[in-house]
Amino acid sequence: MPKENTTSPSPTGDERTRKTSVLGRLLSRPDFGAIVALIVVWVFFAIVAFENNFVSMRSTAAILNAAAPLGILAIAVALLMIAGEFDLSIGSMVGFAGMILMVLVTSTSVGGFGLPLGISLLITLALSLLLGYFNGLLVVKTKLPSFIITLGTLFILRGLAIAIPRGRTNRTQLGGLDDVPGFELIDRLFGTEIQIAGGNFDIAILWMFGIGALASWFLSRTRVGNWVFGVGGDANAARNVGVPVDRLKIGLFMLTAFAGFLVALIFAVQFNGSDSLRGTQLEFRAIIAVVVGGTLLTGGYGSIIGAMLGAIIFSMVQQGIVITGIDADWFQVFLGGILVVAVVFNNFIRLQAMKR
Amino acid sequence: MATTEAPIYEIEHVSKYFGSVIALKDVSMFVRPGEVTCLLGDNGAGKSTLIKTLAGVYKPDEGENRFEGKRVDLDSPRDALELGIATVYQDLAMIPLMSIWRNFFLGSEPTRGVGPFRSFDVDLAKQVTRDEMAKMGIDIRDPDQPVGTLSGGERQSVAIARAVYFGAKVLILDEPTAALGVKQAGVVLKYIIQAKQRGIGVIFITHNPHHAYPVGEHFVILRRGQIFGDYAKDEVPLEQLVQMMAGGADLEVLSHELEEAAGSDPDLEAAARELRQESGASE
């Protein structure tokens, strides 16, 4: 029941439109839980780790730097999850794309292909998109849960990320990207650090916010964005009104693969090379970020802003534990706790929203 | 009541088989613009198959669909939709977690802007949703409400309003009143009449003759995959319709069974009496 009644007609002219309270409006946002969680976690560490300078540009930079690659993945994962599907292979995709890129650019004298950077990037990108396409195609054609299909791809890609470079170069770590002609450009694009008041902020943070803004607009303000909600809410109902369900899902799998490629590139520039094990468990971290951000595991409901906030919360806990000086062994305990609390809280919020 | 206007949508001598099962056998029916043809049948009568044949989900094995007098081959529901044949399914109509306006325009979103900046015209969508619902006499408080917060009748009404707005000439309603309470069913029946008055041909599928009779012009009774009867309203009183629909004999048997089971229970006895009356059997 409304707590207040409108005395004057609202601008839209419908006298039956009641004003919902500010709290009601907030509660109906899928990312409301994440906003609260962000504040709670920040305040907690601000108090507990105040003496260790948690409230500083330096630690803020550390938090955001760690959040950026995770956030980029989480944005794509959120879109896919809202459409009702999972991609567990993105962590492996990060390792795979990074290693493929390095094998392609590494000189032939050590077993690489010695290709120019531009061509190597294009090949890596094309391969990543193709793998995303196959993930999507398998899911829509077999109608099997994407959870199981992409769990398979998780192992296949990780295996390839180890086997291909080892087979050719006998190594699982390849460095020396900065020796490749053209490195300056990608370094400027993906590796720049911006100094603000003593904190070194990675340019990847800008990528995360830029991509997040674009994805948020796409989801809430475009036709295809509306389809994403529809497909995740009820794929049959969406199909009945003419939404190209299969094409949309395949497209979103390609998008998560693209996010994996982009993060692989960022890591390759930041670490000046790749490691076969890079990105291990990133798929779970991204899913945690997305779920903490208020997106339903079952699809049809969620938020891009929430996914980014989820990534920031995740790395805030990670950094907070390091800065506080708590034994890092406890990190996973914290993380699991936050996940469970977030899911329970979001479920409660959603029930409230449906009662509105 | 009888009009001479030509049917807008009809099927002629349609049969549909699934392996050795004969789902439909030589079924013909039609609907005229501005009229309601009620398709009545008990569970298992072949209603679902017939709906799907009308909606373009199934292609008939024999016979044909005719729209505005011309033969049409429907390969998908999309084909039917493009002709203006809209189907509102009982439970697949709406997505509960999405807001009313997002549901209303799902698949047919209005856009503004050009090229990569073309965006979903959200303000227009909200306004149209509110206006269209008002035209049907439905007062939605807030188009941002998730459809899940609406009652079953309201959901059906939104789906009907949507079909009407997107230019449906023929509206196929699959048991829109089945899961509803008396009052809610009344609301939906009101919108069926509204749609009819706007010149739409409505095919109203139901197993409840009491819902069909007040709104229908034609009554087609389907039993065991075949047309059992096809009547104009002035040819058949409600009582006869009820009796034919379930099959008078079946009801009579049921009333006997109930009587036996009743023993001294006055409620069950009353129910048995009622059934016997409806079956048309003499006391």
Side-chain angles (χ1 to χ4, degrees), chain A residues 75-158:
Chain A
I75 290 162
V77 170
L79 283 172
L80 185 66
M81 201 186 285
I82 294 169
E85 300 291 350
F86 276 106
D87 188 350
L88 292 180
S89 70
I90 45 162
S92 301
M93 179 63 83
V94 170
F96 171 81
M99 282 321 274
I100 293 296
L101 177 67
M102 288 313 296
V103 168
L104 289 175
V105 296
T106 297
S107 93
T108 45
S109 59
V110 282
F113 287 86
L115 291 172
L117 185 61
I119 291 171
S120 305
L121 282 170
L122 280 178
I123 294 173
T124 311
L125 174 63
L127 262 179
S128 305
L129 291 177
L130 197 67
L131 285 163
Y133 176 80
F134 277 121
N135 263 340
L137 195 69
L138 268 174
V139 168
V140 301
K141 288 298 169 203
T142 63
K143 296 187 168 52
L144 288 167
S146 48
F147 185 89
I148 211 73
I149 299 266
T150 57
L151 185 62
T153 336
L154 180 157
F155 286 105
I156 293 171
L157 290 184
R158 183 62 70 194

Side-chain angles (χ1 to χ4, degrees), chain A residues 16 220-221 226-227 242 354, chain B residues 78 102 109 119-120 139 149:
Chain A
R16 286 287 301 274
S220 62
R221 288 288 181 271
N226 202 41
W227 298 352
M354 294 300 276
Chain B
R78 191 81 209 161
R102 280 191 180 276
E109 295 82 356
S119 66
F120 185 3
D139 179 21
T149 61

Side-chain angles (χ1 to χ4, degrees), chain A residues 8-81:
Chain A
S8 59
S10 64
T12 41
D14 183 349
E15 75 285 356
R16 286 287 301 274
T17 309
R18 63 185 167 86
K19 261 197 193 131
T20 40
S21 64
V22 177
L23 186 66
R25 286 258 168 227
L26 271 177
L27 278 175
S28 67
R29 289 185 63 95
D31 40 31
F32 175 69
I35 297 169
V36 173
L38 185 74
I39 296 168
V40 169
V41 171
W42 189 84
V43 168
F44 173 79
F45 282 114
I47 295 168
V48 172
F50 186 78
E51 314 229 305
N52 311 61
N53 281 325
F54 179 80
V55 188
S56 68
M57 277 314 227
R58 184 191 290 255
S59 68
T60 305
I63 290 166
L64 289 176
N65 288 347
L70 181 61
I72 291 169
L73 290 178
I75 290 162
V77 170
L79 283 172
L80 185 66
M81 201 186 285

